[in-house]
Amino acid sequence: MLLKIREVRTKSGKTAIQVFNITHRKRNILKHFGSTENETDLAILKEKAKIWIEGENNKHSLFKFENHFSQNYEYMGFLYLYAYEFLEKIYRKFNFQKHFSNLFQDLVLTRILEPKSKRSSLEFLQTFLNKIHSENILYKEIVKYDEKTKEEIEKEIVEIAKKEFGFDFSFVLYDVTTLYFESFKSDEFKKCGFSKDHK
C-alpha cells in the first residue's frame, strides 16, 4: 500500500498535513496530523507523518499466508455499514433521535466511527456509507442546538449509564488532552511544557 503525505489549505488559511492512499481511484485520508501557519511547525508535522508512514510500512500481518492465497484473492477494502447499523440501533434504543435530525444522527455516529471535522465527516459519510448531506444545511442546522439541548442530553446519558450499565460514577476518566494552565510557576500539579495547541 503506497502512503503519501498531503498538504491542504484550510479555510482559516492554515496548512494541514495528512497521510493518504488511493484505492479504486479514491483518495482515502488515513491520518490527520494537524494544521499550522508556522513553517517550523509544518516541518515538524511532515516529519511526524514520515515517521508514521515508516511505522505503517514496517507492520507485518498477524497471519502468515501462503503465496497461493494472495494470488487467488484480492483485498477490496472494508465497510463501516455493520458498525453504523449497530450504533444506529443503540442511538434509537435510547431515543436520541428526538433531539436531532437525521443529519446530526449521522454526524454523531461518524464521530464514533472516525472522528473528524464536520466537513471531513460529510465526506466520510458519502464515501463509506453513501449518505449525502449538504454542508450548507449542516451550518444552518447547527445553530438550532444550544446549551439547553446539550444539558438535556447530558442528563439523559447519565441516567442511561446508571440504569442500563449500573455505572455509579465512583471512577470517571476525563479527557485532558487540550487542558492547560497559563502560568509561570510549577508545582506538584502544574508542570511547564507545551500543549498540543502549541501554548
Side-chain angles (χ1 to χ4, degrees):
M1 179 169 59
L2 182 62
L3 304 179
K4 295 182 179 180
I5 296 173
R6 178 181 184 228
E7 290 185 31
V8 186
R9 286 298 272 187
T10 65
K11 276 188 174 179
S12 63
K14 295 180 179 179
T15 301
I17 298 297
Q18 302 169 336
V19 170
F20 73 98
N21 72 351
I22 295 188
T23 51
H24 305 295
R25 288 183 269 179
K26 284 187 179 178
R27 183 191 299 126
N28 304 305
I29 304 301
L30 303 175
K31 190 160 178 68
H32 180 78
F33 288 86
S35 56
T36 183
E37 295 172 324
N38 183 297
E39 285 297 322
T40 305
D41 291 339
L42 192 63
I44 291 169
L45 291 175
K46 283 182 183 176
E47 191 59 34
K48 285 182 179 177
K50 284 179 189 174
I51 292 167
W52 187 82
I53 287 173
E54 286 172 12
E56 288 297 301
N57 287 337
N58 289 330
K59 282 184 180 174
H60 299 289
S61 175
L62 185 62
F63 305 102
K64 189 173 182 180
F65 297 113
E66 298 297 330
N67 287 337
H68 68 270
F69 182 90
S70 58
Q71 289 168 0
N72 295 332
Y73 299 96
E74 179 187 354
Y75 174 71
M76 301 294 290
F78 61 94
L79 297 174
Y80 285 92
L81 187 61
Y82 296 119
Y84 178 90
E85 287 177 357
F86 172 76
L87 291 170
E88 184 181 32
K89 283 181 181 176
I90 294 171
Y91 184 94
R92 295 195 173 274
K93 173 181 168 60
F94 297 130
N95 203 23
F96 289 126
Q97 70 273 15
K98 71 183 176 191
H99 296 290
F100 298 116
S101 65
N102 287 337
L103 165 58
F104 262 70
Q105 171 190 299
D106 287 344
L107 287 175
V108 168
L109 301 186
T110 299
R111 199 76 169 167
I112 297 168
L113 293 169
E114 187 74 29
K116 294 172 178 272
S117 68
K118 294 177 196 70
R119 178 185 282 175
S120 296
S121 293
L122 294 181
E123 290 174 6
F124 172 87
L125 283 162
Q126 184 172 345
T127 302
F128 293 102
L129 294 164
N130 201 26
K131 290 178 174 284
I132 300 168
H133 296 289
S134 161
E135 191 176 342
N136 291 335
I137 292 173
L138 165 64
Y139 289 112
K140 283 178 186 173
E141 280 201 18
I142 204 167
V143 295
K144 296 178 186 176
Y145 305 110
D146 55 13
E147 195 65 29
K148 185 182 174 190
T149 310
K150 178 175 175 273
E151 287 171 7
E152 285 175 13
I153 293 167
E154 285 173 349
K155 283 179 186 173
E156 286 180 28
I157 290 170
V158 167
E159 288 307 310
I160 289 167
K162 287 178 181 174
K163 181 182 173 187
E164 301 288 337
F165 307 109
F167 192 61
D168 63 2
F169 293 88
S170 59
F171 180 71
V172 178
L173 296 173
Y174 182 74
D175 181 4
V176 294
T177 50
T178 54
L179 187 69
Y180 58 86
F181 297 93
E182 292 190 1
S183 172
F184 295 102
K185 294 181 180 178
S186 296
D187 57 30
E188 67 278 359
F189 189 56
K190 301 190 294 285
K191 301 293 178 192
C192 287
F194 289 99
S195 73
K196 84 175 188 183
D197 296 327
H198 307 292
K199 296 184 179 179

